[in-house]
Amino acid sequence: WRHSIIRFYWDDELTPSVECPAGDFFACGWGKYCQISSLAVCVNPGSAFSCYWPMPFHKKARITMENTDAKDMTLYYQINYTLTPVPRDAGYFHAQFRRESPLREKGLYTILDGVEGQGQYVGTYLAWEVHSPRWWGEGEIKFYLDGDKEFPTICGTGTEDYFCGSYNFENHETKKYQTFSTPYTGLAQVLPPDKIYEAGQRFGLYRWHIADPVRFDKDLKVTIQALGWTGKGTYLPLEDDIASVAFWYQKEPHGKFPALPPLD
């Protein structure tokens, strides 16, 4: 699913507003099925990807799928649309994929940068592979809005808090990570599911800001810290493998997207 690249072009734009591996766009970044029951995205058996983000346009829309794999791809799809008046100030839907493996800066990952104009941030998906043992999610998500430099307007309290979990996503009866999928947020994937606090584990997390969009007037940058624990009880800046999709609406034109990582 990382080898299938979906792109959306609104009206007459030459560069896509959505450019993302299909799996990550539908919150299944690790190429392994997991059920997702949310308002914006549903993934149902056996590999049925459905997306319900509103995507207004004025003149026309173009959607493409690129197969970057050496093997053929079987593709079937349905697109539902309505021809209806659209407000002149309606924002266009955007989604951008990024990945760093390992992180270029210890302990810090940039989810979105270079957004200029007016709009609102509506969602985050993370595919996170940890490279150290112990708990890995002490990092704060930060939203830098409208000229923020050193200090963000919005600062979270921990990775599991941002994704609306608590206490390491741990089920205190089973002593394992507890997956969940809800309308706005979820820890939908833990691989392998029967381990906890082990290096090499992989996680898929989503948070949709549908009821609580993050609105901006001039510019937006979103980062998340990658912080674990040392054996001495101090923070450990991590060098993990993190991929993300940022979802937002804005007025066009949009800024230049970073190039997709190489296939390898």
Side-chain angles (χ1 to χ4, degrees), residues 9-264:
Y9 300 80
W10 305 126
D11 294 333
D12 295 314
E13 65 180 354
L14 300 178
T15 59
S17 291
V18 172
E19 184 177 50
C20 187
D24 295 84
F25 183 79
F26 291 95
C28 278
W30 291 116
K32 184 178 177 64
Y33 171 82
C34 68
Q35 183 172 354
I36 295 177
S37 303
S38 79
L39 289 177
V41 171
C42 291
V43 179
N44 305 320
S47 57
F49 294 171
S50 298
C51 172
Y52 300 96
W53 289 111
M55 301 183 189
F57 58 92
H58 293 281
K59 297 179 181 179
K60 59 186 177 182
R62 184 162 67 99
I63 302 174
T64 69
M65 181 78 85
E66 179 187 8
N67 178 20
T68 64
D69 202 347
K71 298 178 292 185
D72 289 340
M73 175 179 68
T74 299
L75 174 66
Y76 64 92
Y77 58 90
Q78 297 180 11
I79 298 172
N80 301 333
Y81 65 92
T82 300
L83 298 179
T84 187
V86 174
R88 293 181 61 185
D89 60 352
Y92 289 93
F93 178 75
H94 291 70
Q96 182 185 112
F97 175 81
R98 293 181 178 225
R99 185 186 180 193
E100 295 181 20
S101 178
L103 300 186
R104 289 189 287 269
E105 181 179 345
K106 280 186 179 182
L108 181 65
Y109 178 77
T110 297
I111 296 172
L112 185 63
D113 196 5
V115 174
E116 296 182 355
Q118 186 182 45
Q120 56 185 28
Y121 187 88
V122 294
T124 307
Y125 170 71
L126 293 181
W128 192 315
E129 178 181 281
V130 297
H131 292 171
S132 301
R134 306 184 186 91
W135 172 237
W136 48 273
E138 286 300 321
E140 302 167 347
I141 194 165
K142 300 180 180 182
F143 292 87
Y144 296 85
L145 310 175
D146 300 335
D148 289 344
K149 299 301 181 184
E150 184 178 0
F151 298 107
T153 297
I154 299 173
C155 184
T157 56
T159 303
E160 81 272 50
D161 302 325
Y162 173 66
F163 291 100
C164 299
S166 70
Y167 293 102
N168 309 4
F169 300 120
E170 183 181 338
N171 183 315
H172 294 293
E173 293 183 1
T174 65
K175 304 301 181 182
K176 299 291 189 298
Y177 292 116
Q178 178 65 59
T179 59
F180 63 98
S181 180
T182 70
Y184 299 113
T185 186
L187 171 68
Q189 212 163 21
V190 177
L191 303 171
D194 58 341
K195 305 290 184 181
I196 193 167
Y197 305 141
E198 289 199 3
Q201 279 191 278
R202 293 174 167 181
F203 304 89
L205 311 106
Y206 67 88
R207 166 77 184 270
W208 311 140
H209 294 270
I210 295 173
D212 57 343
V214 178
R215 296 187 171 96
F216 55 94
D217 290 317
K218 297 179 180 178
D219 53 68
L220 172 67
K221 178 180 179 180
V222 185
T223 67
I224 191 167
Q225 296 170 310
L227 293 178
W229 291 104
T230 67
K232 300 178 181 179
T234 56
Y235 287 133
L236 175 67
L238 303 175
E239 298 180 272
D240 291 345
D241 175 352
I242 301 178
S244 64
V245 184
F247 301 86
W248 78 100
Y249 292 85
Q250 73 162 93
K251 295 181 179 179
E252 293 288 3
H254 62 260
K256 184 179 180 180
F257 282 24
L260 292 176
L263 183 62
D264 291 342

